[in-house]
Amino acid sequence: MTMNISATKAGYWDFGGGQRIARLGYGTMQLTGPGVMGPPADREQAVAVLRRAVELGVNHIDTSDFYGPHVANEILKEALYPYDGLVLVTKVGAKRNAAGDWLPALGATELREAVHDNLRRLGLDRIDAVNLRLYGLNGPEEGSLEEQFTVLAELREQGLIRHLGISNATPAQLAEAQGIAPVACVQNYYNIVQRSDEAFVRQCAEQGVAYVPFFPLGGFQLIADERIGKVAERHGATIPQIALTWLLTRSPNLLAIPGTSSLAHLEDNIAAASLRLSEDDLADLEPLAG
Ligand SMILES: NC(=O)c1ccc[n+]([C@@H]2O[C@H](COP(=O)([O-])OP(=O)(O)OC[C@H]3O[C@@H](n4cnc5c(N)ncnc54)[C@H](OP(=O)(O)O)[C@@H]3O)[C@@H](O)[C@H]2O)c1
């Protein structure tokens, strides 16, 4: 069964105009210790998960130097350097303190240092994409990103970054960012039960911007709903698989980056690229909009 699974079965997206990526990717946030702090319980397995993801067709990997901090990037380098054929996307704009709190790090110097930290830790001269992670405790908050995005646009001009993105952002912030430099991707909280960005997803699609939902499986609280369970049963699938297939069905610009520390979950997630939802399935899942 695992011989036939491939991330490419959900098709491709032309990332930033020029980089062809499988729409089912991988996010590294689960490769650290508890609370996204410190080393994982099983580092060898973390390395194995990344290598297996690539063997199974994943070529889009989302990461950040603030996962661990540094831990996820160090494991990514150990597993996959020199990243042949891969598109690595990182994010800057936050930092961790010793207690593990997530704090904003949106000053010009902090942003520059964060990009350099990512490059150094990953062993790169240039990274494929950097998302500006905006601070909003309970989701995106309006406010100008001109100062911060200009810093990243300058680093892009210098050749350190190929593409730019924004995260935890609003449509107005996308428009403002596009006035400064091209935007390849938006990374916001969205999944089968959390659809407040529905119009934003469509707007990004109309503009050729990738929409990359974080917490595609619910993040710290795994999605569990018996209505998804019923659809899953029809396909002999799991709820996380249906949640991923639903995302991939929703819009062609939607790229999935589920995170896992488990080889079995990784293979389940990649197998979701082969599932196809019927009109009846989609109708049964529609009431989950929240
Ligand atoms: N821009 C941002 O602000 C932001 C915020 C959060 C995350 N992200 C990015 O988005 C990526 C995805 O988000 P996420 O990893 O936080 O959340 P997620 O993908 O929604 O869910 C991860 C959780 O689901 C479990 N899981 C994964 N596959 C499973 C399966 N097939 N069956 C059962 N459980 C499964 C994982 O546990 P196991 O390890 O046990 O599988 C983990 O607890 C991250 O890795 C990160 O790159 C970005």
Side-chain angles (χ1 to χ4, degrees), residues 23-179:
R23 292 181 60 222
L24 183 64
Y26 177 81
T28 65
M29 200 172 93
Q30 307 298 331
L31 297 181
T32 69
V36 201
M37 287 293 280
D42 187 341
R43 187 183 174 105
E44 261 178 48
Q45 176 161 303
V47 168
V49 164
L50 283 163
R51 289 185 178 154
R52 186 77 180 128
V54 172
E55 267 171 27
L56 295 176
V58 166
N59 71 343
H60 170 213
I61 299 185
D62 186 81
T63 190
S64 178
D65 206 56
F66 53 67
Y67 296 159
H70 319 311
V71 173
N73 277 352
E74 284 165 358
I75 292 173
L76 182 51
K77 183 169 180 228
E78 179 182 337
L80 297 174
Y81 182 86
Y83 319 114
D84 287 336
L86 303 184
V87 171
L88 301 193
V89 180
T90 194
K91 62 191 77 68
V92 296
K95 63 184 174 191
R96 317 296 299 281
N97 63 13
D101 300 316
W102 300 83
L103 303 170
L106 289 158
T109 305
E110 287 173 307
L111 292 171
R112 277 189 209 100
E113 281 177 4
V115 170
H116 283 283
D117 284 346
N118 276 281
L119 291 172
R120 192 170 49 249
R121 209 84 53 184
L122 292 167
L124 292 169
D125 296 325
R126 173 159 75 155
I127 187 149
D128 294 303
V130 175
N131 280 310
L132 174 65
R133 209 294 182 186
L134 296 164
Y135 198 71
L137 266 184
N138 301 309
E141 285 173 7
E142 293 297 354
S144 175
L145 49 60
E146 183 181 358
E147 196 184 326
Q148 293 88 352
F149 203 70
T150 300
V151 171
L152 296 188
E154 284 167 5
L155 296 176
R156 177 173 169 272
E157 286 295 315
Q158 290 165 21
L160 302 185
I161 303 170
R162 202 184 296 259
H163 303 297
L164 297 177
I166 52 176
S167 176
N168 203 32
T170 67
Q173 287 164 334
L174 173 61
E176 190 189 18
Q178 283 169 321

Side-chain angles (χ1 to χ4, degrees), residues 26-31 36 45 61-64 66-67 89 91 102 131 133-134 166-168 187-189 191 212-223 238-241 244 256-270:
Y26 177 81
T28 65
M29 200 172 93
Q30 307 298 331
L31 297 181
V36 201
Q45 176 161 303
I61 299 185
D62 186 81
T63 190
S64 178
F66 53 67
Y67 296 159
V89 180
K91 62 191 77 68
W102 300 83
N131 280 310
R133 209 294 182 186
L134 296 164
I166 52 176
S167 176
N168 203 32
Q187 187 170 120
N188 274 10
Y189 180 23
N191 61 41
V212 188
F214 68 76
F215 296 158
L217 302 176
F220 295 108
Q221 207 163 15
L222 204 62
I223 294 166
T238 64
I239 290 177
Q241 286 179 318
L244 288 175
I257 49 163
T260 181
S261 56
S262 144
L263 281 164
H265 289 169
L266 175 81
E267 294 191 358
D268 283 353
N269 295 346
I270 294 176

